[in-house]
Amino acid sequence: MSEPKAPTPAPGDTYKGWLFKWTNYIKGYQRRWFVLSNGLLSYYRTQAEMGHTCRGTINLATANIAVEDSCNFVISNGGTQTYHLKASSEVERQRWITALELAKAKAFRMQAESDDSGDDSTPPAAGQGAGSRNSEVQSTLRTLGSKVEDLSTCNDLIAKHGSALQRSLSELEGVRLGGETSEKIRQVTERATLFRITSNAMINACRDFLALAQTHSKRWQKALQAEREQRVRLEETLEQLAKQHNHLERAFRGATVLPASQSNPAIDSKGPVSGKGDASDEDEENEFFDACEDVQEFITVPADPKYHRRSGSNVSGISSELGMDDGTTSLDEQSLASNPESPQSQELVPVRKRRTRIPDKPNYSLNLWSIMKNCIGKELSKIPMPVNFNEPLSMLQRLSEDLEYYELLDRAAKCQSSLEQMCYVAAFTVSSYSTTVHRTGKPFNPLLGETFELDRVQESGYRSLCEQVSHHPPAAAHHAISERGWTLRQEIALASKFRGKYLSIMPLGSIHCIFEKSTNHYTWKKVTTTVHNIIVGKLWIDQSGEIDVVNHKTGDRCHLKFAPYSYFSRDVARKVTGVVTDKDGKAHYVLSGTWDEKMEYSRVMQSSRGGENGADGRQKTVYQTLKAKELWRKTPLPEGAENMYYFSTLALTLNELEEGVAPTDSRRRPDQRLMEQGRWEEANAEKQRLEEKQRTVRREREREANRAASPSEEAEEVEIASEPSETTYKTETLHGSHPPAYSMEGPYGAPVKSGHQDNYKSMWFEQLVDPVTGEPTHIYKGGYWEAKEQGNWDSCPDIF
C-alpha cells in the first residue's frame, strides 16, 4: 500500500503511503495519503492534492509516538494536534513506526544543532552573499569529512574488540567445567559469533560507503563548480539583457534615427525602428537559450532541439523579459521571421485599439419563477425570455469566443509530432470552456440569417465567420482560417431542457480542425453544460461529459473526461483528465487540470495495471510519468469584470461597432445594442418586434414553398435519378401542408437537400456531407470576405 522512496538531499528520509485517519464519530476512519519528509508528517485526501492542498502537518521533533494495538498508533505533539492512525496490517504499522522514530530522532538532532549554531553565528552582510555560501559549503564538506573519520575509527574499534571477544570466549571454552556450564558457554559463543557476523556486515557496508564517497567526491565537486559557473553566466546574461533593454527603451523614447547603413530602408519611411535593433533582439534570444540549454521544454518528442527551445511558455517568458508589451506575441515574430516576404515584415501596419470596457450592468430586479413556472419541459429556444436573463452578446459571438486561446492552435501548427500536436489541440478544446465559469447570462438567440465576423488578421493572424443556418432547431455554422496554417470549422445545434432546478444544454455537431502543413484532421464534440439553481440560490455553471479528440489521419486519440461537480467528491472542482494514445492504444501523454484555470501534461514513461479498482470493478491503469508541465493557463479577467457580465478581454470587443461589416452582423442588432447601453425596457420591446418579424418572414417562406409544390407531386412518390457518380434523392409524400422531405443517397461530399419546412438556404454556407465523419454539415462556400472588400451587400436580407 505504501512504499518508501529514495532519500532526498534534505535531512531526513521521505516515506509515503496510505493510512486510515480517525475523523469523527460519523465518518470514523477515512483513507488519507500521508507523506513523511524532513521531520514533518503531512496528509492529503488524495495524491493529486500534494501539489496544492495540505490537510494537516505535525512536527515530529516535539511529537510523542504511541502504539495502541497491532494496527493502530497515535501521534501527538502535546495536546494541540493528535492523529489517531490505523495501518492495513501489523507489518505496515511497524514500517511506519520505524520510519517515524528515525525521522523524529533526526528532527530532534537537527533542531538541537540549529539552536547551538544559532547562538554563535551572525548573518552575513549583503555584499558577502557569495562568499558566505561558499564558506558554508566548505564547512559542510569539513563536517562530512570528520564524520567519515569517526566512522573509520568505529570500524577499527569494532574489529579490535570483536576479535578480543572471540579470543576470550575461545579460551573460556577450553576450561573443563560441568555439563550445564559448558552448555551456557556454548550458547554465549554462538551469540558472540552472530555478533561478529553482524558487525562484519556493518563494517562491509561502512567500507562500501567510504569507497563510494571517495570515488564520487571529485565528480560532485566538479558538478558543483559547473553549477556555480552556470549561475555566474546566467547573472551576467541577465545583466547584459537589462542593459540592452534600457538602451532600446531610451532609443525608442528619444526617437533616435540610426545611419542609413544600419537601418532598414523599408522601415525608415515608417518610423525610427532600425534593422540592427531587430538583429540585437534575436541575438539576445539566442544568448538566453544557450544559457538555458539544459532546461526541458513542454514536449520532448521532436528531432530539432533548437526549434523546441523556441517553443512553449519559455518564448512568452522571454518576450516579457525583453519588454514586448506592444500587443504582439512571440509567435507573431516567429511567423514573420520564417516568412520575410510577408507584407507584415515589410511595413508596420497600425493595429486597431480595441475597447476595454462596456457600460456596467444595471441592477434590475425580476421575479424569475413567474416566468419559468410554465416552461418546465419545453425547449429553451421556444421560451420567451426578457433581456433581464441575457448578456449583450449573441450565440454567434459566444461561438467565436472559442478562439480566445488561438495561440494553442498556432503552436500546434508548428509541431513536428502528431502526438505533441494532439496535446495542444486537446488543451484548446478545454480552453473554450474557461470563459463560461461565471457567465450565467443567456446569449441572444440569433435570427435566421444573422452573421458575425471576427477579423483579427492584423493582431492575431486569423479571421472567422459565423452564420445562423437554422432556427428550429437552432444551429449555427462557424468557419475560421489562420495565416499560420490551421482551419477551424463547426456546426453546433443546441438541444436544451429546463428541468425545474437546473437547465441542461447539449451541443450537437462536430468540430473540425485541419492543419495545412501536416494535413492532420482532428474532430471532437462538446460536453453538456448545466446551469444550476435556476429557481433558488446563486446560479452556477458546470461542464460534464467526455470528449474524444480524434486525428483521422494518424489514428491518434485523446480521451478527455470532464468530472461533474459533487459536494462529496474529494477531487478538485471542475477537474479534467485525459490520456493521449496512438493508433495502437499506447499511452504517450497524460493531461490533467481544470477547465476554468489551466491544463498540464506529463510524459508517460511506463504504464501497468494494478491500481485501485474502478467503479466497474476493473483495475485502473497506473501511468508512471515525468513531472507535469503547464500547457495552458487562463488569462485573468479584466478589472471590474463582475460589473460587465464577467466578460473576458476578447468578449468586451465582440460587440464593438465596426465599419464595413455585413448588415446582418450581430453588432447591428438593435435589441442587443440597447441592452448593452442599459436601456432594458426598450431592448425588450425591440426584441419582441424582431421575433415577430422573424415569424412573419418564416410563415411567408412556408406559403411560398407550399405554392411551389404541385398537386400531382403530393399524391405519388417521385424518384429523381441522376448520373451514377452523383447523389440520388428520394421524394416522399407528406400529407398536409408540409413540403417534401428528402433522404440522401450518394458519395460523401455531395450536397444535401434542405429538410427545413420553408426550404431556407443559408447565405455563406452550404450543407454537405462531411467526407470524414459522414455527417451532414454546413461548410463555408466563400464569397463573404470578397463582398466585404467590394462593399457590396446587396444579396443580404433585411433581418433587423
Side-chain angles (χ1 to χ4, degrees), residues 33 147 167 253 268 279 309 392 465 518 547 560 638 666 700 705 711 748:
W33 179 256
K147 294 296 182 183
R167 272 196 314 272
R253 290 175 181 174
D268 282 344
R309 287 200 300 270
L465 176 67
S518 61
I547 295 179
L560 294 170
S666 300
E700 182 62 28
Y748 285 167

Side-chain angles (χ1 to χ4, degrees), residues 329-342:
T329 65
S330 57
L331 289 171
D332 293 334
E333 296 174 356
Q334 290 180 13
S335 63
L336 296 180
S338 61
N339 184 14
E341 297 181 359
S342 62

Side-chain angles (χ1 to χ4, degrees), residues 529-549:
T529 301
T530 306
V531 184
H532 294 270
N533 293 344
I534 294 292
I535 305 302
V536 179
K538 183 179 179 180
L539 293 175
W540 60 278
I541 291 179
D542 192 24
Q543 312 286 350
S544 60
E546 298 182 1
I547 295 179
D548 280 316
V549 185

